[in-house]
Every structure is written in C-alpha cells, then in structure tokens.
Amino acid sequence: MKILLTIIGILAILIILVLIIALYSKRDYTVQREIVINQPVDKVFDYVRHLKNQDYFNKWVMRDPDMKKSFRGTDGTVGFVYGWDGNKQAGAGEQEIMSIDPNKQIGIVIRFERPFKAIAQAPITVEAVTTNQTRIRWRMSSSMKYPMNAMMLFADMDRLLGKDLQWSLEKLKGILEK
C-alpha cells in the first residue's frame, strides 16, 4: 500500500511540475519553408490557389487516400472551403481561402477538429525570381492552449512540421516543372 501511495505521489508531483512549466512555456509557433520553381509566377500561383490541387502535393492530405472530402464554394476564390475527415494520421478539419492577392499570396486558415481542436494560419506566398522562376513560401502559424503547450517543451514544431512542408513543396515543384 505504501508503494502505491509513493507512486501516486510521484505522479502527482510530475503532473503539477509539467503544469507549472506550461504556465511559462511559449504557446505560439511558426514554421516556414520555401523553394524555387522553374515556372512563371502566374502559372505557379494559378495552381496553388486551387485547394483541390493539394491532393497531388500536400503530404498531410496524402496521408489517407480514403479520407472523406467536402467542398463549399468555388475553388480558387475567397470563401472556398475544403473539408476532410480521415484516419488517425490525417485527422479532421477544414481549410478556407480567406484572401487572395493575385500572383502574390493566398491567405488560408486551417481549422483542425481532430486529433485536437486548433486554428492555424497557412498563407502561401509567391514571388518572381526571374521571368521563368518563382519562389514559393508556405508558412504555418498557430498556438497551443494551456496546458497543451507543454508539448512544445518536448516537440520541435519546426522540425516536425517543416519536413512535411518541405516534402510538399518538392512534390509541387516536380508537378509544375513537368
């Protein structure tokens, strides 16, 4: 009985310690990756402004080929919503086009429902490097509520999300340079 009480006491102290640390831990994160694509800026922008095209280059979308998808509005325009409900890896949520600055930026908000609720800003920015080269940047910014932000002590969001962003951009480059 004494051992059980000792174990419970140690666990309680650890939980309290993590909760206290979470009070002082950062809650916001931003991850960004970029790549240069050998195509004119208008061609690159016209492709990425259509969210349905993410089926071909977005690693997160590709995690569940059987996911249920729903769409509202006209793809490539402000207000278009791409919803998904997938397996444990893909989760569930929706992304919406919030703004479009032609040949410059598409503002996207992602609302995650599963595995946990969260909102992220995920703008895609393009800029001409030359007449036939375009730099594309994909950024994801979000925050974690207390006490979930304690996870950021153990998880490097830049490394975790960054590798998937980079993979997706390289896949996009392959598609657009064919």
Side-chain angles (χ1 to χ4, degrees):
M1 183 68 159
K2 202 171 194 176
I3 293 174
L4 182 60
L5 289 175
T6 302
I7 292 171
I8 292 172
I10 290 171
L11 286 175
I13 290 170
L14 289 174
I15 291 170
I16 290 169
L17 185 61
V18 168
L19 292 174
I20 290 171
I21 291 170
L23 283 171
Y24 300 101
S25 296
K26 67 179 185 171
R27 294 183 180 162
D28 301 327
Y29 65 88
T30 298
V31 177
Q32 178 175 292
R33 294 295 185 270
E34 65 181 54
I35 199 165
V36 173
I37 296 175
N38 296 313
Q39 288 293 341
V41 71
D42 58 334
K43 182 174 181 179
V44 174
F45 186 81
D46 191 50
Y47 189 84
V48 297
R49 75 184 181 99
H50 292 90
L51 297 184
K52 288 181 182 179
N53 285 339
Q54 289 187 15
D55 289 353
Y56 308 108
F57 69 89
N58 184 321
K59 186 169 186 173
W60 296 299
V61 171
M62 298 169 109
R63 283 193 170 139
D64 180 4
D66 297 322
M67 77 170 57
K68 295 178 184 110
K69 299 173 188 170
S70 62
F71 310 103
R72 295 190 312 266
T74 303
D75 195 7
T77 65
V78 173
F80 177 73
V81 177
Y82 178 124
W84 76 93
D85 187 358
N87 61 21
K88 280 175 48 175
Q89 287 185 331
E94 63 183 20
Q95 55 181 326
E96 180 176 355
I97 298 175
M98 302 302 286
S99 64
I100 296 177
D101 189 356
N103 294 330
K104 292 186 180 168
Q105 180 172 301
I106 176 169
I108 301 170
V109 66
I110 304 173
R111 293 179 286 268
F112 298 97
E113 291 295 321
R114 200 173 25 83
F116 53 86
K117 287 187 179 273
I119 296 176
Q121 302 299 319
I124 297 174
T125 305
V126 297
E127 70 174 315
V129 176
T130 67
T131 55
N132 288 315
Q133 284 190 317
T134 302
R135 176 174 290 110
I136 182 167
R137 287 184 189 93
W138 198 355
R139 186 177 76 234
M140 183 173 287
S141 300
S142 188
S143 61
M144 292 186 161
K145 294 181 180 180
Y146 174 84
M148 293 298 290
N149 66 311
M151 287 178 23
M152 291 183 42
L153 295 169
F154 310 105
D156 180 353
M157 298 305 282
D158 188 73
R159 190 175 56 95
L160 288 171
L161 297 177
K163 66 181 179 180
D164 289 347
L165 279 176
Q166 191 65 44
W167 185 94
S168 297
L169 288 172
E170 289 169 7
K171 184 88 169 159
L172 175 64
K173 179 180 175 79
I175 291 168
L176 291 175
E177 289 184 356
K178 273 190 178 178

